[in-house]
Amino acid sequence: MNINTDFLGIGWSFPPEFNETEGTLEMTTDVEDINNSLIILLSTRPGERVMFPDYGCDLQEMLFKPLDLTLITQMKGIVERAILYHEPRINILNIEIDAEEELQGEVLIKIDYEVRNTNTRSNIVFPFYKGEATEI
């Protein structure tokens, strides 16, 4: 059985990389492209993209709130809605928030998903950092 994967698309690698010898931009396809798209989606605040003001996931609003069951439920809902609206190539199977490293400022968002066109299961772990980006 030959499965058509054109639906999965092709996109720039993330972060963008250039092949200096060939003078081309590195591209990604299939599940790797979906994973890159999810990272971009979860890293983007709504309003950051000029032509797509609704694109993004507003996790930054959660930075200074105490990480309790209510906040974990809110975070799952925000991630789920962002994926449902902006990543049509997948079905979400499970979203899990791992707060074991909360005191170090890291919360892991684990997303299990199924690619709609191929019924292939995959996952991604997105590290959401609650701390500042300094070493002071």
Side-chain angles (χ1 to χ4, degrees):
M1 183 167 135
N2 192 5
I3 297 174
N4 183 359
T5 59
D6 291 344
F7 177 74
L8 300 181
I10 185 168
W12 289 16
S13 62
F14 183 76
E17 294 179 28
F18 296 92
N19 185 329
E20 293 179 20
T21 57
E22 296 179 17
T24 59
L25 181 67
E26 295 293 328
M27 304 298 276
T28 61
T29 59
D30 302 331
V31 173
E32 184 181 2
D33 186 45
I34 291 172
N35 287 342
N36 284 343
S37 293
L38 288 172
I39 290 169
I40 292 167
L41 176 63
L42 297 177
S43 302
T44 303
R45 289 182 179 184
E48 281 186 340
R49 289 205 168 178
V50 177
M51 299 301 286
F52 299 103
D54 295 333
Y55 182 86
C57 188
D58 208 8
L59 289 173
Q60 288 76 16
E61 293 295 319
M62 308 294 157
L63 277 178
F64 301 107
K65 295 181 180 178
L67 192 60
D68 56 8
L69 183 59
T70 303
L71 186 67
I72 288 173
T73 304
Q74 282 181 316
M75 288 176 73
K76 285 182 181 181
I78 288 170
V79 170
E80 184 175 8
R81 275 189 302 281
I83 293 171
L84 287 173
Y85 286 124
H86 301 292
E87 188 49 75
R89 299 176 288 182
I90 64 172
N91 292 321
I92 301 169
L93 300 175
N94 187 38
I95 298 174
E96 182 181 330
I97 307 293
D98 181 355
E100 286 183 20
E101 300 295 324
E102 177 194 9
L103 295 177
Q104 284 71 36
E106 180 181 62
V107 175
L108 300 177
I109 301 171
K110 300 176 181 180
I111 303 167
D112 295 320
Y113 65 88
E114 177 182 65
V115 178
R116 287 184 179 176
N117 198 34
T118 62
N119 292 330
T120 307
R121 291 181 178 214
S122 189
N123 61 38
I124 187 170
V125 177
F126 178 78
F128 177 63
Y129 297 104
K130 292 183 69 168
E132 294 181 17
T134 63
E135 291 289 326
I136 298 176

